[in-house]
C-alpha cells in the first residue's frame, strides 16, 4: 500500500496547538495529489489543467481519534474503497503509531470543468484505480 | 433558527473556480464561532483563551450537493442534533436557494486545553445549547 | 475614509496564539474585496469572473507593530497611494487602538485572465479610484 | 546555498489559476522550517514548542516577478541578510528557471512565548545563522 509522510508544520496547527481540522482536509488533498503521481502514475495537475477534468469532492467524512501536534511525522495511507461510474471513494488513514489517528473517506466526482457536469471516470484513471485496488487487497 | 450569511470570496475558491472543500470546513468553524455569540450568547474566544476549554472536532462529515461560486451569498443555519456528556453534534446547512448546497455534521468534544483530555460540557454552554435546541424544534 | 472591522477568529491564529502572518495577507485580500463594493461601488467578483480582469499582486510589504489576538476587533482602513497605467498601490492600516498594529502596502496589477498579461486599469475602476483618492486626501 | 523544491499544488492556487499571494507567505514559512532542520541543524518545532521561543515576523516584503502555476516545481533558496540582537532578516528567492519569480525579505523577531516580549537570539540559533551566512557568502 502506498504511503507518504507529512511533517506537521507550525501553520498546520491552531491556537490549541494541534492540527486544525480544516487543514487536515487540505493536507489530505495533497496526499491524493501525491498518490496520483506516486501510486497511480498519473499527474493530478494535468487532469485539472490541460485536461479540464475536475476531481472535486461530493462528500467527505473524517474521524479524529487523536490530535496531531507540531513536529509530528504522520504517515498517510490511501485505499480505494469504491470505483463508480463518475465517482470514486478513497479511504485515507493517518498514523503516528500503530493505530490511526485519523480515518477519512473522501468521495471524488469526476467532472468536466468546461461544462460543469459529472463525466465518466477517464479510462486511464479507471485502469490505474483498478490496478491499485487489486494490488492492495 | 439562527442563520448567518457569508459572501464567497476570491480566496475561498480553488482553481476550479468553486469553494475549496477544505475552506468550507474553515468557514463552518467561523459559523460556529458566530453562532456562539449570536445565538448562544457566549464568547467562543473566551472558551479557547482565558477558560482554556477546547472545542475541537471528534468527527465531521459533509455532503456537497452543489458547488459554491465566488460572489455567492450563502446562508448558513445551525441545528443542535445531540448534546452528550462531553460532546455535542451540530448540523450545519448552507443555502443559496431553497435546497441546501451543503449539509454537514460536526461533532465537537469539550476538552481541557491544560490537561488535554475530555471534560464535561461547561454548565453555561450546556444550558445555552439546551435552550437553543428547544427553541428550534 | 472607508473602514471595516474584522473579529479575529480561532482559525486566523497560529500556535503562538496570534494572527498568522500569512493569514493577515488573506484577510487583507478580503478587505480589498469589501472596499471594492463598500467604497468604490464595484463588484470584485465580477472583475475576476465575467470580466476576466485579474487583480493580483506585483508586490506587497507589511510591518507588524503588534500582534493580533483571537477575539480582537481590528479596524482596517484603505488608502489609495498611487494610480498607475496598469497598476495601483494601496495602503492598508489596521487598528486595535489609536496606533496601527499593521501597516501594509499592496501593489495590484490589472491583468487579462485570458491572455495573462497586464492591461490598463479599466475605466470604471480608474474613475472610482480617483474619486476615492480625492475624497480621502 | 541550501535550496528546497516545492511542487505547486491545487490548493496553493486561486481562481486565477496561479499561486495565491497569501499562500506564498505560508509556503515561505514552511521553507524557513525546513531550512532550520536542513541547513541550520535545528528543529523549528522545538523552538516554538518546548523552548517557547517565538519566531514571528516583524515585517515582510515580497516582489512577484512572475506567477506560479499548478504543477510547477519551484526551487526556494534562503540567504541570511542580517543578524541583529533580537531579530534576523532572511532573503528568500524562488526559481522556476534562471530568474527568480519571487524575491522576499522576511524579518523574524525572537520572542518569549511566555512573556510575549523580544528576547536575544538564542546562542545555538545565532551560531548556526553565522555559520550559514559565512558559508553562503
Amino acid at each position: 500500500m502506498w504511503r507518504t509522510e507529512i511533517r506537521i508544520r507550525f501553520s498546520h496547527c491552531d491556537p490549541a496547538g494541534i492540527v486544525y481540522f480544516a487543514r487536515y482536509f487540505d493536507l489530505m488533498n495533497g496526499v491524493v495529489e501525491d498518490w496520483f503521481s506516486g501510486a497511480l502514475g498519473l499527474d493530478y495537475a494535468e487532469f485539472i489543467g490541460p485536461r479540464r477534468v475536475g476531481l472535486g469532492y461530493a462528500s467527505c467524512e473524517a474521524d479524529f481519534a487523536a490530535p496531531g501536534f507540531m513536529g509530528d511525522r504522520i504517515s498517510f495511507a490511501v485505499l480505494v474503497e469504491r470505483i463508480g461510474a463518475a465517482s470514486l471513494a478513497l479511504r485515507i488513514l493517518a498514523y503516528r503509531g500503530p493505530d490511526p489517528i485519523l480515518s477519512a473517506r473522501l468521495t471524488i466526482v469526476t467532472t468536466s470543468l468546461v461544462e460543469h457536469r459529472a463525466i465518466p471516470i477517464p479510462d486511464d484513471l479507471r485502469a490505474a484505480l483498478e490496478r491499485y485496488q487489486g494490488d492492495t487487497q
Side-chain angles (χ1 to χ4, degrees), chain A:
Chain A
M1 183 164 40
W2 182 87
R3 282 168 173 254
T4 190
E5 190 184 272
I6 295 179
R7 181 118 202 260
I8 296 305
R9 295 191 182 285
F10 181 72
S11 71
H12 299 156
C13 297
D14 62 28
I18 61 174
V19 179
Y20 181 50
F21 86 123
R23 191 76 186 221
Y24 257 133
F25 287 99
D26 184 37
L27 291 175
M28 285 192 282
N29 197 72
V31 167
V32 171
E33 283 186 43
D34 291 352
W35 174 73
F36 260 66
S37 51
L40 302 186
L42 296 169
D43 189 42
Y44 189 93
E46 213 175 283
F47 275 83
I48 308 296
R51 297 174 63 171
R52 308 301 293 147
V53 175
L55 297 163
Y57 298 93
S59 68
C60 53
E61 50 184 82
D63 291 298
F64 304 98
F69 297 96
M70 185 175 26
D72 279 356
R73 296 178 188 283
I74 297 184
S75 173
F76 288 79
V78 179
L79 285 165
V80 175
E81 284 202 347
R82 189 181 56 77
I83 306 173
S87 71
L88 54 123
L90 302 178
R91 169 70 52 185
I92 314 265
L93 297 166
Y95 296 90
R96 186 173 43 208
D99 298 314
I101 63 169
L102 161 66
S103 171
R105 190 173 198 265
L106 305 178
T107 302
I108 293 173
V109 181
T110 47
T111 55
S112 160
L113 291 177
V114 179
E115 300 169 43
H116 291 288
R117 55 172 186 76
I119 56 167
I121 298 176
D123 288 345
D124 57 345
L125 176 54
R126 178 178 297 279
L129 291 168
E130 288 172 349
R131 196 171 51 239
Y132 184 83
Q133 193 180 36
D135 289 352
T136 51
Q137 254 162 1

